[in-house]
Amino acid sequence: MMVSFFDQFASPSYLGIPLIAIAIALPWVLYPTSSSRWINNRLITIQGWFINRFTNQLMLPLNVGGHKWALLLASLMIFLITINMLGLLPYTFTPTTQLSLNMGFAVPLWLATVIIGMRNQPTVALGHLLPEGTPIPLIPVLIIIETISLFIRPLALGVRLTANLTAGHLLIQLIATAVFVLLPMMPTVAILTAAVLFLLTLLEVAVAMIQAYVFVLLLSLYLQENV
């Protein structure tokens, strides 16, 4: 029984060909394309308003040098939200429940922020490894601790996104299974459980959006330290 619960996180394949590439590329097909007309439809207007508001909020604490990342971070945010939301539909696969995919996003972007900091302001970047006013005997220990915390950042980004989405999907499947089992025996309890399942689904919709936002927000904070 437990194996079947985790089967939903296995990468689907057809004739031995992994279909995760289609799951990753599909969201881009669903986005409405922009138009050269002055007046667009409501969907494109809402999409443009959301992207502008998010980009302004994200770039607010960054200086002009960090604004070059606006397109990349905004695109990543929309991409993660779309994948997470599509994964809540029945009989779908969520690529962001794969730690390898999330680490593939987290490690290169985190490494890019570190390289930018070491190239543009190496003194300030290295200064983060040693807080000001540290007693001399604690300097070697603190440098080791801060270095470890620096390299743990991309792992924390990937694991946070994977763990939250995986836990949510498992809870939904467990409660949905309980509803089907209880329905013939205790209909009243099954209806109450179905109400809990509906509320949990709404919570997972919020988690899908919040986790995508947190992923991009933490990347912007790492960028803020290095630009």
Side-chain angles (χ1 to χ4, degrees), residues 35-42 44-45:
S35 174
S36 59
R37 296 179 299 174
W38 284 99
I39 301 178
N40 297 318
N41 58 45
R42 291 185 179 90
I44 295 180
T45 303

Side-chain angles (χ1 to χ4, degrees), residues 33-108:
T33 56
S34 57
S35 174
S36 59
R37 296 179 299 174
W38 284 99
I39 301 178
N40 297 318
N41 58 45
R42 291 185 179 90
L43 184 59
I44 295 180
T45 303
I46 294 175
Q47 175 184 287
W49 176 85
F50 171 76
I51 294 175
N52 289 334
R53 293 293 298 174
F54 168 73
T55 306
N56 291 335
Q57 185 70 23
L58 197 64
M59 296 293 111
L60 191 61
L62 299 178
N63 57 23
V64 179
H67 292 178
K68 300 175 183 178
W69 286 61
L71 179 60
L72 175 62
L73 294 180
S75 301
L76 180 62
M77 167 76 173
I78 298 173
F79 179 68
L80 291 177
I81 286 180
T82 309
I83 283 185
N84 295 346
M85 297 290 287
L86 289 177
L88 294 174
L89 298 175
Y91 304 104
T92 56
F93 171 69
T94 311
T96 44
T97 56
Q98 305 294 312
L99 182 60
S100 57
L101 177 69
N102 296 333
M103 293 300 293
F105 283 131
V107 172

Side-chain angles (χ1 to χ4, degrees), residues 11-209:
S11 179
S13 60
Y14 182 72
L15 298 178
I17 302 174
L19 302 180
I20 188 172
I22 297 178
I24 295 175
L26 180 61
W28 301 109
V29 182
L30 303 178
Y31 301 142
T33 56
S34 57
S35 174
S36 59
R37 296 179 299 174
W38 284 99
I39 301 178
N40 297 318
N41 58 45
R42 291 185 179 90
L43 184 59
I44 295 180
T45 303
I46 294 175
Q47 175 184 287
W49 176 85
F50 171 76
I51 294 175
N52 289 334
R53 293 293 298 174
F54 168 73
T55 306
N56 291 335
Q57 185 70 23
L58 197 64
M59 296 293 111
L60 191 61
L62 299 178
N63 57 23
V64 179
H67 292 178
K68 300 175 183 178
W69 286 61
L71 179 60
L72 175 62
L73 294 180
S75 301
L76 180 62
M77 167 76 173
I78 298 173
F79 179 68
L80 291 177
I81 286 180
T82 309
I83 283 185
N84 295 346
M85 297 290 287
L86 289 177
L88 294 174
L89 298 175
Y91 304 104
T92 56
F93 171 69
T94 311
T96 44
T97 56
Q98 305 294 312
L99 182 60
S100 57
L101 177 69
N102 296 333
M103 293 300 293
F105 283 131
V107 172
L109 294 174
W110 164 82
L111 187 60
T113 61
V114 174
I115 292 175
I116 287 175
M118 295 298 294
R119 185 187 66 179
N120 295 341
Q121 43 184 13
T123 304
V124 177
L126 294 175
H128 292 303
L129 301 179
L130 184 63
E132 188 176 356
T134 304
I136 295 178
L138 296 179
I139 288 179
V141 178
L142 280 180
I143 290 178
I144 294 175
I145 293 175
E146 292 296 330
T147 304
I148 293 175
S149 66
L150 177 65
F151 284 96
I152 284 179
R153 285 180 174 181
L155 181 62
L157 281 176
V159 170
R160 180 186 296 106
L161 183 58
T162 303
N164 281 281
L165 295 179
T166 302
H169 284 63
L170 282 176
L171 278 176
I172 289 177
Q173 187 170 3
L174 284 170
I175 297 178
T177 304
V179 171
F180 281 105
V181 172
L182 293 173
L183 191 58
M185 298 180 295
M186 293 179 286
T188 305
V189 178
I191 292 174
L192 294 176
T193 308
V196 174
L197 177 61
F198 176 73
L199 296 176
L200 179 62
T201 304
L202 295 180
L203 177 63
E204 282 305 308
V205 171
V207 168
M209 294 186 289

